Amino acid sequence: MKKRLLTLFCLVATVLLAACGVKKVDAGDFIKTTFTGLDTKGELVYQVNTQELVKEFLVANPKADAKTEAEVRTAATKVKVTPSKTEGLSNDEEITFTFSADKDAEKYFNLPKETKVKVSGLKEAKKLTAEELAKIADVNHFTRSGRL
């Protein structure tokens, strides 16, 4: 009888502890990237979208109290990413983001070791003809005396 009661108590305690845990959110899903420039000369602008990261955490954990929410907001600002390359980018090239954070952030977020993003949207460079160049450029030829 004591064994059954002890077993039942352990089972109930396990269920309660499991229910009280937080559901972690994957931080790798919240990198916002923008590629600008020309193909082979592109540049990367990036950031961790901390507002969306916190929002997703609160959706996944609707019973989070105000204290937990404040801790999550602070922890989200400590999620850092480092890209493998930010300049001289070409379309279809892969950029690898490496994650780092402190223990507070790891309590609330799953931090992948790395995430890969494919470069896209860079414009192809256009070769100008002599006529097109003449339209956009004002070329004056001066002689040694300073006259046209």
Side-chain angles (χ1 to χ4, degrees), residues 7 30 33 36-37 43-44 52 62-63 71 79 89-90 99 106-107 114 116 127 129 135 140 145:
T7 304
F30 295 92
T33 59
T36 59
E43 293 182 1
L44 167 67
E52 287 297 316
K63 294 183 180 182
E71 289 173 359
V79 175
L89 304 174
S90 300
F99 284 79
E106 291 175 357
K107 264 181 18 184
E114 60 186 28
K116 295 184 186 243
K127 191 170 188 176
T129 63
K135 286 180 188 176
N140 291 322
S145 63

Side-chain angles (χ1 to χ4, degrees), residues 10 12 27 30-31 39 41 50 56 59-60 66 74 90 105 108 137 145:
C10 288
V12 170
F30 295 92
I31 298 176
D39 193 19
K41 302 278 185 192
T50 56
E56 186 67 26
V59 167
T74 301
S90 300
Y108 302 110
S145 63

Side-chain angles (χ1 to χ4, degrees), residues 39-71:
D39 193 19
T40 71
K41 302 278 185 192
E43 293 182 1
L44 167 67
V45 177
Y46 67 95
Q47 71 177 27
V48 176
N49 191 341
T50 56
Q51 289 180 338
E52 287 297 316
L53 182 58
V54 171
K55 182 179 172 183
E56 186 67 26
F57 178 86
L58 295 175
V59 167
N61 298 281
K63 294 183 180 182
D65 59 4
K67 180 183 175 193
T68 303
E69 183 178 342
E71 289 173 359

Side-chain angles (χ1 to χ4, degrees), residues 106-125:
E106 291 175 357
K107 264 181 18 184
Y108 302 110
F109 308 117
N110 288 325
L111 300 171
K113 185 173 181 171
E114 60 186 28
T115 297
K116 295 184 186 243
V117 175
K118 195 174 220 181
V119 177
S120 63
L122 297 176
K123 297 176 184 172
E124 296 291 328

Side-chain angles (χ1 to χ4, degrees), residues 69-81:
E69 183 178 342
E71 289 173 359
V72 168
R73 288 188 189 285
T74 301
T77 63
K78 295 180 181 179
V79 175
K80 304 294 179 206
V81 293

